[in-house]
Amino acid sequence: MQTPDWAPFEVCAAGARPEPTRPIGTREGVGDRLRAAAFAELQAREAFLWAARTFGDAPAELREAWTTLAGAEQRHLDMLLERLRALGIGVAERAVSDRLWSSLVGCGSAREFALFIANAEERGRLAGERFRQAMVGVDPESARVFGLIADEEVAHVALAKRYFSD
């Protein structure tokens, strides 16, 4: 499995962890969260496309849904990158980790992938909700973006439950 080109992001060396996020009440801390979320969206986009091509054990409708979700992840990525640009914060200012991608492409079946990515999407949704609330007084526009994305993640999580309800 070839790793996608993660440009314009700077990715940590394998096994390394990114620097800790800075306080959420600062411009830099908002930027750290926007950058990390944007990179998670990019990894999810690539993983949905990879899964749609890879898992023949998935029903055709699920593979089509994964392709559609890749488009939603791209829209989220675009919103987050636009917000970073508006704040004048560089995407590559700090390294990010591609552990999510590594974990997702390590899945051996459609079921395993669907449940793993649903869990990741739920964690992202919860983080987006926290950021929406924590940033509203600091950066209302970033708070709004995180909230919109968190609201849309609900449908992404529901997809796995629809196909793998057990």
Side-chain angles (χ1 to χ4, degrees):
M1 160 55 38
Q2 183 175 344
T3 301
D5 177 6
W6 296 129
F9 293 90
E10 178 70 31
V11 179
C12 296
R17 298 182 71 84
E19 295 177 74
T21 53
R22 293 168 283 193
I24 199 166
T26 66
R27 177 182 166 281
E28 294 80 10
V30 170
D32 290 349
R33 285 154 182 87
L34 289 165
R35 181 183 303 105
F39 190 59
E41 298 290 349
L42 176 56
Q43 291 175 89
R45 181 196 75 193
E46 292 300 313
F48 278 128
L49 294 172
W50 169 82
R53 290 188 311 266
T54 302
F55 292 121
D57 63 323
E61 299 114 10
L62 178 56
R63 291 193 313 272
E64 289 172 24
W66 284 338
T67 301
T68 300
L69 287 179
E73 301 297 348
Q74 179 64 52
R75 196 172 62 260
H76 297 167
L77 172 62
D78 291 343
M79 288 191 296
L80 293 160
L81 291 176
E82 177 55 36
R83 191 67 197 133
L84 281 166
R85 277 190 293 277
L87 292 171
I89 297 171
V91 173
E93 280 182 19
R94 297 185 107 196
V96 291
S97 170
D98 67 353
R99 283 181 302 195
L100 176 60
W101 166 257
S102 297
S103 296
L104 289 166
V105 298
C107 293
S109 68
R111 181 181 197 285
E112 183 182 359
F113 175 84
L115 296 175
F116 193 99
I117 201 160
N119 184 279
E121 298 268 87
E122 177 62 11
R123 287 191 318 271
R125 186 191 70 75
L126 293 171
E129 286 293 341
R130 283 192 312 272
F131 298 159
R132 175 184 356 211
Q133 294 170 11
M135 288 180 190
V136 75
V138 177
D139 182 348
E141 182 57 22
S142 292
R144 185 188 71 76
V145 168
F146 275 114
L148 286 171
I149 293 169
D151 292 344
E152 289 187 18
E153 296 296 357
V154 173
H156 299 193
V157 173
L159 182 67
K161 291 179 183 174
R162 188 170 13 158
Y163 284 91
F164 304 105
S165 60
D166 58 326

